[in-house]
């Protein structure tokens, strides 16, 4: 009987240690700074090689900044829960031009760098509207700051009136700040890009 107990204890201990190890490794691999370091440079190089598609010309690599995460609120309240998607606006030559997106899964992630809803963010920032609600309704993005409401469909941004909305700001919606540069992310992104272009 003692041998069976020992086997069970050893088996449970090994299982717990293995689970903790997997959990730690997965979290290390999903750290935003690590993901930026591994991926930003190659994605940005691809964007710069196709600069006419993105409207980026004569880019100064040292004039890139990464903002803190912006939260996308879904119109349907049951969908508003912690997201596994991190959206980091990218400022190039003083303008929000791109969004670096990290989609996390259990022990992996996917990344992309593109225009996405950057035109909407850029329009808000140009108008000094830095504390905003970003709301998505299917394929349409909205940015709301006080009485100012902008809508992005495709890459077109227009200002609209409150009467044109079919939803209202809910208490559980989160606000994003467009004036908060993340210095760690920015430094990591520049280093990643420099390593790619050497």
């Amino acid at each position: 009987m003692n041998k069976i107990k020992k086997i069970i204890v050893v088996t449970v201990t090994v299982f717990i240690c293995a689970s903790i190890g997997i959990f730690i490794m997965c979290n290390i691999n999903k750290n935003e700074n690590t993901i930026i370091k591994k991926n930003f440079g190659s994605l940005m190089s691809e964007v710069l090689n196709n600069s006419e598609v993105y409207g980026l010309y004569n880019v100064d690599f040292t004039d890139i900044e990464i903002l803190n995460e912006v939260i996308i609120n879904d119109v349907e309240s049951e969908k508003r829960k912690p997201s596994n998607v991190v959206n980091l606006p990218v400022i190039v030559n003083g303008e929000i031009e791109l969004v670096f997106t990290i989609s996390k899964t259990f022990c992996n992630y996917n990344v992309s760098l593109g225009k996405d809803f950057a035109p909407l963010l850029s329009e808000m920032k140009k108008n000094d509207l830095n504390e905003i609600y970003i709301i998505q309704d299917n394929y349409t993005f909205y940015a709301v700051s006080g009485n100012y409401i902008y809508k992005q469909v495709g890459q077109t941004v227009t200002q609209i009136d409150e009467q044109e909305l079919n939803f209202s700001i809910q208490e559980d919606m989160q606000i994003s700040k467009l004036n908060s540069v993340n210095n760690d992310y920015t430094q990591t992104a520049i280093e990643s890009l420099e390593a790619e272009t050497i």
Side-chain angles (χ1 to χ4, degrees):
M1 200 64 167
N2 277 339
K3 285 185 179 183
I4 293 174
K5 285 183 180 179
K6 286 181 182 179
I7 290 172
I8 292 172
V9 169
V10 168
T11 304
V12 169
T13 303
V14 168
F15 177 75
I16 291 171
C17 289
S19 298
I20 291 171
I22 290 170
F23 178 77
I24 290 169
M25 287 306 295
C26 286
N27 282 335
I28 288 171
N29 288 336
K30 291 184 351 182
N31 173 284
E32 283 86 4
N33 242 337
T34 303
I35 294 170
I36 292 168
K37 184 176 186 174
K38 288 181 180 177
N39 299 280
F40 185 84
S42 60
L43 289 174
M44 190 64 173
S45 292
E46 188 65 31
V47 167
L48 295 175
N49 287 336
N50 297 289
S51 58
E52 66 283 350
V53 174
Y54 296 91
L56 297 175
Y57 305 100
N58 303 320
V59 174
D60 177 2
F61 297 143
T62 60
D63 197 15
I64 292 174
E65 293 179 310
I66 308 291
L67 298 180
N68 282 313
E69 177 183 7
V70 295
I71 307 295
I72 297 178
N73 298 284
D74 199 290
V75 167
E76 297 180 29
S77 61
E78 62 268 13
K79 292 185 180 178
R80 272 195 304 278
K81 54 188 173 207
S83 174
N84 291 329
V85 178
V86 177
N87 295 292
L88 302 172
V90 181
I91 294 178
V92 181
N93 294 340
E95 300 286 336
I96 298 176
E97 296 283 3
L98 303 164
V99 177
F100 183 72
T101 302
I102 304 167
S103 303
K104 298 178 182 181
T105 59
F106 170 68
C107 202
N108 206 354
Y109 62 87
N110 295 311
V111 293
S112 66
L113 181 65
K115 283 288 196 188
D116 299 320
F117 56 97
L120 182 65
L121 300 177
S122 182
E123 188 66 32
M124 298 301 279
K125 192 153 182 59
K126 283 179 194 172
N127 290 299
D128 290 323
L129 302 170
N130 290 311
E131 293 192 2
I132 60 174
Y133 292 96
I134 303 293
I135 299 141
Q136 185 175 9
D137 185 11
N138 293 319
Y139 299 106
T140 304
F141 289 97
Y142 298 88
V144 180
S145 181
N147 295 327
Y148 296 92
I149 305 168
Y150 288 83
K151 170 173 123 176
Q152 179 180 327
V153 179
Q155 294 297 302
T156 305
V157 178
T158 54
Q159 187 172 7
I160 61 172
D161 294 324
E162 190 174 344
Q163 296 86 340
E164 297 178 61
L165 292 180
N166 59 358
F167 61 86
S168 58
I169 302 297
Q170 302 298 314
E171 275 186 24
D172 60 344
M173 288 185 174
Q174 297 181 45
I175 201 162
S176 297
K177 296 185 178 186
L178 297 181
N179 57 353
S180 59
V181 173
N182 188 308
N183 293 321
D184 288 341
Y185 291 172
T186 298
Q187 186 60 38
T188 303
I190 291 170
E191 289 170 5
S192 177
L193 183 55
E194 287 173 347
E196 191 69 28
T197 56
I198 289 176

